[in-house]
Amino acid sequence: MVLLVADGLGGIPHPDFDFKTELEAAHTPNLDRLAQRSVLGLMYPVNYGITPGSGPGHIGLFGYNPEELIIGRGVLEALGVGMALGPNDVAARANFATRDEQGLIIDRRAGRIPTEECVRLVNLLSENIGEIEGVQILLKPGKEHRFVMVLRGEGLGDRIKDTDPQKEGLAPYAPEALDEASQKTSRVIKQFLEKAQKLLSTEKKANAILLRGFSKPPVLEKFPERYGVRSLAIAIYPMYKGIARLFGFDTPELEGTFENEVEYLEKAWNDYDFFFVHYKDTDKAGEDGNFKRKVECIEYFDQFIPRILELKPDVLVITGDHSTPSLLGSHSWHPSPVLLFSPHAGCDEASRFTERECRKGYLGHFPARALMSLILANGLRLGKYGA
């Protein structure tokens, strides 16, 4: 069973491109041929009208209820970069950003600085800010502008307001404590940001830090035990490695491109029952508001479908964890297109894999947390319910 996730896959019609979505504009002969042998539908990651972050988007894909299971972004990012977390640690996702002379954020991603630059800056911060009020400050770089901060010490709560305003043209928010137990955490973060600001003051692009997703590790039922499968996650970006590790997937340290992910899938094919394979670039292009680039990413993704089908999966699902329309330049509440291929699934009358074709599909409109039941059923992994 293969769950193939093209991050942010869904789109909405763009007035500058003949009112087509990115999927409609892309040349995808392999996805379209597969759609003619599959059943299609539209999937809501959380609920109607809710714009999900990447965490809730994947919680739903894995069959859990994202409205009940709340997992902070910080924990996912920390696990993704290989940081071991204790039960009382507080983790946060961090971005290097660019601020102007008035203190307003003009680029939340600091121009997507190279990863090597991120490593240099994280080392600079780590060498100069090791402890505040008896709390260890642990930092580790991620990809491009991203890094992770973990606070380790006594008396720390994780109810802290994000400092990331989530849009340009605003000043960073103060890391306010949202309950009494988080007062110490708030003080430590404020001092960290003050010290970091001085250290970064001469940087042209990465001269500010935005923090979000303050969280402690949750206790949850692991994916392999919940579904009785040997499960492998194949991802490049730390965030997605992190969520897979949290749910108990075997998750290798893999770098490179989507082609490297497909190669790893081929090598590991006989060792697992369930594969989660993640492709990031569709989401990046959508967030950058780059319609043509997202089309190119979809077309690149399409090239690898025949190699996955050559493995003869019992079930192949292709979808996104959420939609990222380039028209909006951000995650959105729109449902994700879903394709389910299996010898036991039947097929629709679709000619292409697009949002409009999925709207008419056999699977209908359904919540993401129902997807795992559909995968397991078509993989003949579910028994009869009741007498």
Side-chain angles (χ1 to χ4, degrees):
M1 296 172 282
V2 179
L3 174 58
L4 183 55
V5 177
D7 204 302
L9 177 63
I12 55 177
H14 200 302
D16 294 339
F17 297 93
D18 297 326
F19 288 94
K20 292 181 178 181
T21 69
E22 296 89 344
L23 267 174
E24 290 172 335
H27 177 62
T28 53
N30 298 307
L31 283 168
D32 294 342
R33 275 194 296 271
L34 184 59
Q36 295 165 23
R37 303 159 54 197
S38 305
V39 289
L40 308 178
L42 289 174
M43 181 180 71
Y44 289 87
V46 179
N47 212 328
Y48 298 106
I50 303 299
T51 296
S54 296
H58 283 82
I59 289 169
L61 288 175
F62 295 161
Y64 301 73
N65 188 343
E67 294 184 273
E68 296 177 354
L69 179 59
I70 309 299
I71 302 174
R73 182 69 179 251
V75 165
L76 302 179
E77 294 282 354
L79 294 173
V81 298
M83 300 178 81
L85 294 178
N88 298 315
D89 290 349
V90 175
R93 154 73 183 269
N95 276 16
F96 286 112
T98 309
R99 65 191 301 176
D100 63 15
E101 293 179 356
Q102 286 73 44
L104 303 180
I105 298 299
I106 58 175
D107 188 337
R108 291 179 56 246
R109 301 178 179 89
R112 294 193 185 275
I113 57 173
T115 299
E116 299 77 26
E117 187 71 359
C118 177
V119 172
R120 178 183 71 81
L121 293 171
V122 168
N123 288 339
L124 173 68
L125 296 172
S126 297
E127 290 166 2
N128 289 276
I129 315 174
E131 186 176 301
I132 298 173
E133 290 193 28
V135 175
Q136 284 183 272
I137 311 297
L138 307 174
L139 307 176
K140 191 166 183 178
K143 293 280 188 180
E144 299 171 330
H145 56 283
R146 309 167 182 88
F147 68 101
V148 179
M149 179 176 74
V150 172
L151 305 183
R152 180 167 294 163
E154 299 297 324
L156 299 176
D158 63 353
R159 296 275 291 138
I160 301 292
K161 181 179 178 179
D162 291 353
T163 73
D164 187 349
Q166 294 285 337
K167 62 168 65 175
E168 279 79 17
L170 297 175
Y173 298 139
E176 298 175 9
L178 302 178
D179 62 15
E180 187 62 31
S182 302
Q183 292 292 337
K184 181 177 180 180
T185 313
S186 174
R187 292 196 310 271
V188 170
I189 295 166
K190 287 177 182 176
Q191 293 176 63
F192 167 79
L193 290 172
E194 290 171 1
K195 294 174 183 289
Q197 194 64 53
K198 293 178 181 178
L199 291 167
L200 299 174
S201 61
T202 59
E203 298 293 330
K204 293 182 178 180
K205 291 185 178 180
N207 60 8
I209 291 173
L210 302 176
L211 300 171
R212 59 189 170 105
F214 296 96
S215 49
K216 291 184 175 183
V219 177
L220 53 81
E221 183 182 13
K222 302 299 184 183
F223 187 95
E225 287 72 37
R226 185 182 181 101
Y227 299 115
V229 294
R230 298 170 296 165
S231 52
L232 178 71
I234 304 174
I236 299 295
Y237 274 73
M239 155 71 193
Y240 310 99
K241 295 176 184 177
I243 194 167
R245 287 172 179 151
L246 184 64
F247 280 91
F249 284 77
D250 287 351
T251 310
E253 282 297 342
L254 185 64
E255 299 293 334
T257 66
F258 186 62
E259 183 171 13
N260 299 116
E261 294 185 61
V262 174
E263 289 172 355
Y264 200 99
L265 173 69
E266 292 166 336
K267 293 175 184 176
W269 186 250
N270 294 321
D271 299 326
Y272 294 89
D273 308 308
F274 187 94
F275 298 87
F276 160 56
V277 185
H278 181 268
Y279 175 60
K280 176 64 175 174
D281 289 352
T282 36
D283 182 57
K284 288 174 60 177
E287 287 188 331
D288 288 343
N290 193 332
F291 185 96
K292 292 182 178 179
R293 175 59 184 156
K294 187 172 177 183
V295 168
E296 292 171 355
C297 292
I298 291 170
E299 292 176 345
Y300 171 78
F301 176 79
D302 180 75
Q303 298 174 29
F304 296 94
I305 301 304
R307 285 176 60 174
I308 296 172
L309 290 174
E310 285 175 7
L311 298 170
K312 295 182 169 52
D314 297 313
V315 185
L316 171 60
V317 167
I318 301 173
T319 188
D321 55 332
H322 54 76
S323 291
T324 308
S326 56
L327 181 62
L328 296 176
S330 66
H331 294 197
S332 77
W333 61 93
H334 300 91
S336 296
V338 182
L339 178 156
L340 190 155
F341 170 76
S342 168
H344 311 108
C347 61
D348 284 327
E349 297 179 352
S351 60
R352 297 199 63 202
F353 179 48
T354 67
E355 293 86 352
R356 289 177 223 251
E357 293 288 82
C358 287
R359 188 173 62 199
K360 301 179 289 186
Y362 170 83
L363 294 176
H365 297 203
F366 63 96
R369 62 182 180 272
L371 182 63
M372 274 304 302
S373 293
L374 291 168
I375 294 174
L376 293 167
N378 282 281
L380 306 182
R381 294 292 186 122
L382 294 181
K384 184 190 297 184
Y385 176 71

